[in-house]
Amino acid sequence: ASSFTSTSEMALITGEQYVQAWGAVFGVYALLMLLVPEKMVSDHFKAKCTPMNAFWIRGQSVSVAATAYLLQKIPTAEAVDFGLLITAAIAILYPYNAKFGLISKNMPVKYTGFPNHYVPEVLMTGFLAAGLYLKYA
């Protein structure tokens, strides 16, 4: 497996960059979830956000923000491992589930305009690919 901290070798991404990017992207998601939870529905689905949706999304912002913060505080190798694991879980439960109906069937995903449901699909695929590269390349 490659070194997570080496910057002397030619690498597509370092462990530090992965962890910083993860924290930045999910930190922004946490802020959006807290401040404008309605956008988490209307940006990605052909559906209106209900007060109950907004309640759950806003509450979930705390765990997303805490994860993004704490990932920066643990050793890089552990942070990459955990980032990869949680990204896989998020990807399966959220964007891939909505797209492919893995658990939830017939989700009204939105693929027109911007932002749309391609955004989380691309982000999660990118973080999965980068994490796998760091772990196994």
Side-chain angles (χ1 to χ4, degrees):
S2 64
S3 169
F4 290 111
T5 57
S6 174
T7 55
S8 61
E9 298 175 21
M10 287 295 289
L12 296 175
I13 186 171
T14 65
E16 291 88 355
Q17 290 168 329
Y18 179 85
V19 172
Q20 290 168 356
W22 203 102
V25 167
F26 283 93
V28 168
Y29 262 104
L31 284 174
L32 291 171
M33 292 167 78
L34 176 65
L35 301 174
V36 286
E38 299 83 8
K39 287 185 66 53
M40 301 304 289
V41 176
S42 65
D43 284 356
H44 305 290
F45 297 96
K46 294 179 245 172
K48 298 274 185 209
C49 184
T50 68
M52 184 64 75
N53 295 140
F55 169 82
W56 283 104
I57 293 166
R58 189 172 280 121
Q60 185 63 21
S61 70
V62 176
S63 60
V64 175
T67 302
Y69 173 78
L70 290 173
L71 213 61
Q72 312 302 310
K73 300 299 181 184
I74 62 176
T76 301
E78 291 176 31
V80 169
D81 287 347
F82 186 75
L84 177 57
L85 177 66
I86 197 165
T87 298
I90 290 169
I92 291 167
L93 292 173
Y94 283 128
Y96 300 164
N97 179 30
K99 182 179 184 97
F100 300 114
L102 303 175
I103 300 166
S104 305
K105 306 297 182 202
N106 302 315
M107 298 297 291
V109 292
K110 176 182 158 189
Y111 289 108
T112 58
F114 186 84
N116 58 45
H117 203 262
Y118 286 126
V119 173
E121 291 173 18
V122 169
L123 284 172
M124 294 306 104
T125 301
F127 278 114
L128 286 171
L132 290 168
Y133 166 79
L134 288 166
K135 187 89 176 131
Y136 299 108

